[in-house]
Amino acid sequence: MINYLKTRSKILMFSLPALVLFFSCTNLEIEPTDSLLAANFEGIRTAEEAASQVTAMYNSINGYIGDQANLYALSEVTTDEMLVPTRGSDWGDNGIWRQLHQHSWTPDHSYITNVWNQWNELQLVASEVLDSRSASSPDSRAAASFFRALAVYVILDNFGQVPIRDTEAPPLDDPAVLTGEDAIALIVSDLNDAISGLPATGPSGAENVNVSKAAARYLLAKTHLNRHIFNGTRTVDNADMARVIALVDEITADGYALEAGFFDIFRDTPDNETIWWINTQVGNRIWNGLHYNLVTPEQSGGWNGFSTLSEFYDLFEGPEENILGGTQEERRGGVPLQGEPAGADGTVDDDGDGIADGTHIGFGFLKGQQYGPTGTPLTERGGAPLVFSREFVSAVDGQPNLLDNDEITGIRVLKYNPRYGGFVSHEIFFRYSDAHLMKAEAMFRSGGDALSMVNDLRVLRGAQPLGSLSEQDLIDERGRELYIEFWRRNDLIRFGQYTRDWEFKDPAAVGNGDRELFPIPATQIILNPNLVQNPGY
């Protein structure tokens, strides 16, 4: 194994160019030409240049997280939480979305390749800042340590192996590959360095667009919680669980706490829960599932794709219909029967009709009839009632299918609401309630009693307290709290449920543990013989 911890100057190398990034705030972003280490690389010469590289990493993260494809698609569409049916010719895309949900992807799937390229490229730029020959300031090194750890975490989680190369080696040498404990050791070392150098911030709104000690502790807790998955033992070490508990306690000591008002957390206003938010527009999280006729003055209508499975909807407490103001638990949200009068908190009335823009669009899970601003029942483009249904059926023969769906199949999902702006740049990535549930899980897995912790969250969210706590209760609670926040695939794998059957999954993928890792892009196997294709591909 190479001594990456000694020199802190290990660099990956790969050759596929990164895709153009969407949602960047400036032109300071990682360029495709940075995907290879220069032959004469001797470190970054000035502290200002290093700081600009850190800015580039932040801007690139904006694109990586704000996208509806790539990491988001791999994390959510491959699970029981989300699917994208083909509606006529919309969302066909040569089957790329259906393959993810069905677990029938191949090594040339473009979103899989993009994730490999993007996050390995982030690792490369971070390693340049961390190179011992670079004139990086302590602040830049701390941020770069965090970003390299995050990049290695994402690649390890999704692919199980991470290419790394010493910057002082000849540029054409084959990169070494870290797996299991070796990759974990790099993540842990980088995050400990980040914790030492990053600022300590509490829940402070705008300030938390930058990473902090709490963000590094959160990611370190994730690493320890998943260690038995990443190293292949599948056996929980109580020492890891104790570390998770201690790290979450340190986050709590910084002032982070559970926050009442579930959907208010996803506004661009300060709250007690947001550990790290990304300066990227939340339009993808709003419009990719909403119907074309659900409109606001800012946006002509939705894109009518992303939906959830009925089995996921059924995890939540409440009656079958989901009307806002009903008896369902808060996290399930609901459908308004009409818009709210102008002047509602956080809204505008740009069209001057006396109704707050976007308030006729619901929160959470949109099921059943949808209504316009004045309470008029909406219709789909063909004139039929706009009633979002549980089923995904072919409009041709009425049979369950991901092909040939009409405009109304599928329950729609959103946490960010257009009433607060359809393209606000404020997407949450790390949240305290996740840390709270990580601590509860660590307590449970190490033999402790976590029931009161889980019930504290449930009662806050308007759900009935549990009388006892099982492993199934824990994974269900994580689903209810953290849907569409990038963590469902990771959670299902840790709980041994990623390979179970759900609607439309390819029968050959059911029970197939090979699908817990994505394939290494075929071109990378050719370029680097130290990479070994994952089993099943």
Side-chain angles (χ1 to χ4, degrees), residues 107-351:
D108 61 352
H109 195 289
S110 63
Y111 298 162
I112 294 172
T113 299
N114 292 347
V115 169
W116 176 271
N117 286 349
Q118 289 174 342
W119 293 90
N120 274 319
E121 190 170 11
L122 180 67
Q123 182 202 144
L124 171 66
V125 178
S127 293
E128 289 178 338
V129 174
L130 291 169
D131 187 280
S132 61
R133 298 163 294 177
S134 292
S136 307
S137 70
D139 289 346
S140 292
R141 288 185 178 278
S145 293
F146 174 86
F147 282 123
R148 185 165 71 176
L150 176 61
V152 174
Y153 181 98
V154 170
I155 296 300
L156 182 64
D157 181 29
N158 286 277
F159 299 95
Q161 47 190 306
V162 187
I164 302 283
R165 185 173 66 82
D166 189 331
T167 54
E168 297 183 14
L172 297 181
D173 277 9
D174 295 324
V177 173
L178 302 184
T179 61
E181 283 297 329
D182 290 337
I184 292 167
L186 178 55
I187 296 170
V188 170
S189 176
D190 274 349
L191 288 175
N192 283 330
D193 286 351
I195 291 168
S196 296
L198 288 171
T201 61
S204 53
E207 205 170 271
N208 287 346
V209 71
N210 296 317
V211 293
S212 64
K213 292 183 187 296
R217 287 173 176 141
Y218 170 100
L219 186 58
L220 187 53
K222 282 276 185 194
T223 303
H224 283 285
L225 191 66
N226 288 281
R227 187 176 204 146
H228 63 291
I229 303 299
F230 293 162
N231 66 18
T233 66
R234 302 285 167 144
T235 301
V236 172
D237 187 332
N238 285 346
D240 283 314
M241 300 303 101
R243 189 73 181 113
V244 173
I245 293 167
L247 287 162
V248 175
D249 286 345
E250 290 171 5
I251 295 171
T252 306
D254 280 341
Y256 296 93
L258 297 177
E259 176 90 6
F262 183 64
F263 292 105
D264 284 341
I265 297 168
F266 300 93
R267 297 173 58 179
D268 62 338
T269 53
D271 60 75
N272 291 322
E273 287 214 14
T274 302
I275 295 171
W276 183 31
W277 60 273
I278 309 300
N279 190 22
T280 189
Q281 293 181 346
V282 298
N284 276 319
R285 304 294 172 261
I286 296 174
W287 301 107
N288 63 22
L290 293 183
H291 188 268
Y292 318 105
N293 289 347
L294 279 166
V295 298
T296 70
E298 180 184 1
Q299 155 65 254
S300 61
W303 310 330
N304 209 38
F306 287 50
S307 309
T308 194
L309 274 70
S310 58
E311 68 177 71
F312 191 79
Y313 176 79
D314 289 340
L315 291 178
F316 295 79
E317 292 180 2
E320 175 64 21
E321 294 308 311
N322 206 38
I323 303 301
L324 201 62
T327 59
Q328 65 272 17
E329 65 173 278
E330 181 185 15
R331 294 174 296 197
R332 205 173 80 173
V335 176
L337 298 180
Q338 62 182 43
E340 299 178 20
D345 180 45
T347 67
V348 297
D349 179 20
D350 283 342
D351 55 4

Side-chain angles (χ1 to χ4, degrees), residues 81-83 87 289 305-314 320 322 332 364-368 388-392 408-414:
E81 195 171 278
M82 189 158 283
L83 72 168
R87 306 181 189 279
F306 287 50
S307 309
T308 194
L309 274 70
S310 58
E311 68 177 71
F312 191 79
Y313 176 79
D314 289 340
E320 175 64 21
N322 206 38
R332 205 173 80 173
F365 293 83
L366 308 188
K367 181 180 179 293
F388 293 141
S389 66
R390 282 176 164 268
E391 297 80 16
F392 298 90
I408 61 174
T409 59
I411 301 166
R412 312 307 168 84
V413 189
L414 69 162

Side-chain angles (χ1 to χ4, degrees), residues 256-523:
Y256 296 93
L258 297 177
E259 176 90 6
F262 183 64
F263 292 105
D264 284 341
I265 297 168
F266 300 93
R267 297 173 58 179
D268 62 338
T269 53
D271 60 75
N272 291 322
E273 287 214 14
T274 302
I275 295 171
W276 183 31
W277 60 273
I278 309 300
N279 190 22
T280 189
Q281 293 181 346
V282 298
N284 276 319
R285 304 294 172 261
I286 296 174
W287 301 107
N288 63 22
L290 293 183
H291 188 268
Y292 318 105
N293 289 347
L294 279 166
V295 298
T296 70
E298 180 184 1
Q299 155 65 254
S300 61
W303 310 330
N304 209 38
F306 287 50
S307 309
T308 194
L309 274 70
S310 58
E311 68 177 71
F312 191 79
Y313 176 79
D314 289 340
L315 291 178
F316 295 79
E317 292 180 2
E320 175 64 21
E321 294 308 311
N322 206 38
I323 303 301
L324 201 62
T327 59
Q328 65 272 17
E329 65 173 278
E330 181 185 15
R331 294 174 296 197
R332 205 173 80 173
V335 176
L337 298 180
Q338 62 182 43
E340 299 178 20
D345 180 45
T347 67
V348 297
D349 179 20
D350 283 342
D351 55 4
D353 63 357
I355 298 174
D357 296 344
T359 54
H360 65 293
I361 299 175
F363 295 91
F365 293 83
L366 308 188
K367 181 180 179 293
Q369 178 68 57
Q370 306 299 299
Y371 299 90
T374 62
T376 302
L378 295 174
T379 62
E380 47 94 50
R381 292 182 300 182
L386 182 57
V387 179
F388 293 141
S389 66
R390 282 176 164 268
E391 297 80 16
F392 298 90
V393 295
S394 168
V396 176
D397 59 14
Q399 296 302 305
N401 207 317
L402 284 180
L403 289 168
D404 304 318
N405 278 239
D406 62 23
E407 296 183 6
I408 61 174
T409 59
I411 301 166
R412 312 307 168 84
V413 189
L414 69 162
K415 282 182 168 175
Y416 301 90
N417 197 281
R419 68 181 62 200
Y420 305 125
F423 291 94
V424 172
S425 293
H426 188 99
E427 180 161 1
I428 296 173
F429 195 24
F430 292 179
R431 190 154 67 87
Y432 180 78
S433 63
D434 186 359
H436 179 87
L437 287 172
M438 283 195 284
K439 177 180 175 179
E441 182 181 337
M443 292 172 63
F444 177 87
R445 293 192 185 280
S446 56
D449 183 3
L451 179 61
S452 62
M453 284 195 69
V454 173
N455 280 338
D456 286 346
L457 180 62
R458 288 181 59 78
V459 170
L460 187 67
R461 303 297 188 227
Q464 292 298 312
L466 301 173
S468 60
L469 187 66
S470 67
E471 189 170 283
Q472 189 63 50
D473 292 326
L474 279 169
I475 182 62
D476 289 348
E477 196 63 26
R478 287 190 62 81
R480 285 185 285 261
E481 181 69 20
L482 300 168
Y483 62 90
I484 68 170
E485 293 187 49
F486 282 87
W487 296 116
R488 187 61 173 172
R489 171 188 167 274
N490 177 271
D491 287 344
L492 287 175
I493 290 172
R494 192 172 64 259
F495 281 83
Q497 297 195 20
Y498 189 64
T499 64
R500 68 172 173 82
D501 196 11
W502 54 65
E503 192 175 16
F504 301 118
K505 182 180 278 189
D506 185 340
V510 177
N512 183 356
D514 292 344
R515 292 284 144 167
E516 290 187 347
L517 292 175
F518 294 108
I520 308 298
T523 52

